[in-house]
Amino acid sequence: MNPVAVVVTGKSSTDAVAQDMSLLDDFTWQGASAMEMQWRVERFLSRYAACIDDDALESWPAFFATDVCHYEIITRENVERGMPLALMFCTSQGMLFDRIVSLREANIYPQRWYRHVISNVLIQSVDEDSLTVQSNYVVFQTRRNGQTDIFSAGKYLDRIVMRDGELKFAEKRVIADTHRVDTLLVAPI
Amino acid sequence: MNPVAVVVTGKSSTDAVAQDMSLLDDFTWQGASAMEMQWRVERFLSRYAACIDDDALESWPAFFATDVCHYEIITRENVERGMPLALMFCTSQGMLFDRIVSLREANIYPQRWYRHVISNVLIQSVDEDSLTVQSNYVVFQTRRNGQTDIFSAGKYLDRIVMRDGELKFAEKRVIADTHRVDTLLVAPI
Amino acid sequence: MNPVAVVVTGKSSTDAVAQDMSLLDDFTWQGASAMEMQWRVERFLSRYAACIDDDALESWPAFFATDVCHYEIITRENVERGMPLALMFCTSQGMLFDRIVSLREANIYPQRWYRHVISNVLIQSVDEDSLTVQSNYVVFQTRRNGQTDIFSAGKYLDRIVMRDGELKFAEKRVIADTHRVDTLLVAPI
């Protein structure tokens, strides 16, 4: 059973999450308090956002664990319909690197800048090895003409682990409300 | 005197807030430090956002206290003109439930998804029973065609209490900058 | 050498930032822990946002130090091209006051409301006197017709100091992704 998947399949589980969440307010994880982990997780997500926004995509795969790695962009529509078809699907750090190489090579199209707002970060559950974390994101894009608009809004469902003293994504699912397809090659979100 | 109302009526009080706020940086409330309360309040707001964004509206009234309950959506324009006319106004948890029932029954219109960004959460004042908290919100909506746009931006003025060990809204005022009226029935913000 | 400037000039330094940032996760500054400073800095930025959003601009210069003061709005395009031309450039608190006076006097144009979302606040480096902090911002504007749209998205690069027990900006650089010029007179961001 994937603990993250439970959260997005249907209303009944979501209701349960809303009601049970208070139970998770206090915990310790690897010696750290819930409040400290909140701070560390938010910091980790902010570094992730800065990496993409600063167009330092070559550093992007390093946010993922090497032993377990799942990265997926899927529309909320597909999740709710139970269709597993993803816009991007990687199951190893090597696939993440390949994705960046493809992006760099294919980038003959007018470049754009991204700007992430990651908010409402909620640690939802904890087990010995990992934290399950939900957050809302909105990515804004600015085209070369200087206009900024909404690129994608949705939520992150992350499973975060500790490796060599650093937080890493073991799993990152991007559930996108937005499902426009005006970009030929999908960039990381 | 309603301590929340003071904040939004005119510039002079706002100035005072900006200057006095530093005085409130450190406090204890029901045995918790200011930093801990910041974390708990943000977590509470994030759960509130997740409830609406996950379309778990049946759980929405449970975020409010049962003994005191005030929920209001009002435009900033009306606040600044001193006109009390609200887009939504509920003074009991029962009225909140009724609102959700109406929304569910009336929903013959194309559904949309909401996504909240709640940011810049500021605990403004503290008394024995409650915290007064201001935050900025932007709600994005995605229609079934996959396009995401801005539904509403504004600020929350909340009075938060503790009931049975859980935070609850005793009062939540949504002061909306946006005042479009393209939705027949107003959803919670 | 300006430690803030290093961050925005080119990809190589950005990569370095992404990789080195974990080294800064734990520190103490003027007796406070990294987690406590995160809370205090976020609170400071939230008060800054509230000042502008509440149109309390007369209080805006007070967020800056009096002995060192640098405020700048510059487009990301100009930063990446190495062109120092800024949309707004002030090097004293007096210049900030002048800017507000001009704004108030010139305001014969239809007024608009601003709403800040400041997210992903990252303390990047620390020295004895100051903190270097990066954050993402998006400012939404609502015109008098009630429509809300994106005014500016980008990042803040701040150098924050302590003066008389209060945090102040010694330097605030607003690096705007957006470079539309539909406002005659630039408002603070």
Side-chain angles (χ1 to χ4, degrees), chain B residues 25-26 76 136 155 178 180, chain C residues 43 53-54 116 147-148:
Chain B
D25 276 350
D26 294 292
R76 181 170 179 170
N136 283 352
K155 73 174 167 184
T178 317
R180 305 190 304 193
Chain C
R43 191 164 167 85
D53 295 348
D54 288 344
H116 282 66
Q147 284 275 127
T148 301

Side-chain angles (χ1 to χ4, degrees), chain C residues 5-184:
Chain C
V6 174
V7 176
V8 289
T9 49
K11 267 174 216 166
S12 54
S13 66
T14 310
D15 286 12
V17 165
Q19 280 152 16
D20 293 348
M21 206 162 292
S22 58
L23 302 175
L24 295 164
D25 276 350
D26 294 293
F27 63 84
T28 55
W29 189 73
Q30 310 214 350
S33 69
M35 181 163 64
E36 184 180 335
M37 284 318 302
Q38 180 78 28
W39 164 63
R40 291 196 184 277
V41 164
E42 290 190 2
R43 191 164 167 85
F44 177 62
L45 291 172
S46 293
R47 288 169 57 209
Y48 178 87
C51 173
I52 300 175
D53 295 348
D54 288 344
D55 196 27
L57 295 179
E58 284 69 18
S59 299
W60 174 68
F63 286 92
F64 292 81
T66 49
D67 56 335
V68 275
C69 176
H70 176 107
Y71 178 77
E72 178 182 1
I73 304 176
I74 190 167
T75 63
R76 181 170 179 170
E77 193 175 37
N78 279 1
V79 171
E80 297 201 350
R81 287 180 180 174
M83 294 167 66
L85 190 67
L87 296 171
M88 201 197 291
F89 192 87
C90 299
T91 53
S92 72
Q93 225 193 34
M95 289 175 76
L96 300 176
F97 277 112
D98 287 350
R99 171 64 61 162
I100 299 307
V101 170
S102 305
L103 260 176
R104 293 295 192 205
E105 280 174 356
N107 221 335
I108 52 173
Y109 304 97
Q111 211 190 315
R112 62 194 72 192
W113 290 316
Y114 297 105
R115 184 65 52 195
H116 282 66
V117 169
I118 304 176
S119 74
N120 301 99
V121 178
L122 264 178
I123 299 175
Q124 290 189 312
S125 69
V126 179
D127 65 27
E128 202 175 333
D129 184 48
S130 66
L131 302 168
T132 305
V133 181
Q134 169 182 316
S135 54
N136 284 352
Y137 76 83
V138 183
V139 182
F140 300 87
Q141 67 179 344
T142 303
R143 294 165 201 270
R144 287 293 166 177
N145 67 4
Q147 284 275 127
T148 301
D149 52 46
I150 299 165
F151 175 67
S152 180
K155 73 174 168 185
Y156 290 144
L157 294 177
D158 301 328
R159 200 158 60 80
I160 295 173
V161 295
M162 185 81 84
R163 294 289 181 268
D164 297 323
E166 291 196 19
L167 298 181
K168 300 283 178 186
F169 294 115
E171 180 171 311
K172 186 171 189 68
R173 299 184 72 206
V174 182
I175 318 287
D177 298 344
T178 316
H179 51 98
R180 305 190 306 192
V181 284
D182 69 337
T183 31
L184 199 65

Side-chain angles (χ1 to χ4, degrees), chain A residues 55 107 109-114 141-144 151 182-183:
Chain A
D55 196 26
N107 220 337
Y109 303 96
Q111 211 190 315
R112 62 194 72 192
W113 288 316
Y114 297 106
Q141 66 179 346
T142 302
R143 294 165 200 271
R144 288 293 166 178
F151 175 67
D182 69 337
T183 31

Side-chain angles (χ1 to χ4, degrees), chain B residues 4-11 13-14 79-80 155 157 173 175:
Chain B
V4 175
V6 174
V7 176
V8 289
T9 48
K11 266 173 216 167
S13 66
T14 310
V79 170
E80 298 201 349
K155 73 174 167 184
L157 294 178
R173 298 184 74 205
I175 317 285

Side-chain angles (χ1 to χ4, degrees), chain A residues 97-173:
Chain A
F97 277 113
D98 288 350
R99 171 64 60 162
I100 298 307
V101 171
S102 304
L103 261 176
R104 292 295 192 204
E105 280 174 357
N107 220 337
I108 53 174
Y109 303 96
Q111 211 190 315
R112 62 194 72 192
W113 288 316
Y114 297 106
R115 184 66 52 196
H116 282 66
V117 168
I118 303 176
S119 74
N120 301 99
V121 178
L122 263 180
I123 299 176
Q124 289 190 313
S125 68
V126 179
D127 64 28
E128 202 175 333
D129 185 50
S130 66
L131 302 168
T132 304
V133 181
Q134 169 182 316
S135 53
N136 283 352
Y137 76 83
V138 183
V139 183
F140 300 86
Q141 66 179 346
T142 302
R143 294 165 200 271
R144 288 293 166 178
N145 66 3
Q147 284 273 128
T148 300
D149 52 47
I150 299 164
F151 175 67
S152 181
K155 71 174 168 184
Y156 290 145
L157 295 177
D158 300 328
R159 200 159 59 82
I160 295 175
V161 294
M162 184 81 84
R163 294 287 181 268
D164 298 322
E166 291 196 21
L167 297 181
K168 301 282 178 187
F169 293 116
E171 179 171 311
K172 187 172 188 70
R173 299 183 73 204

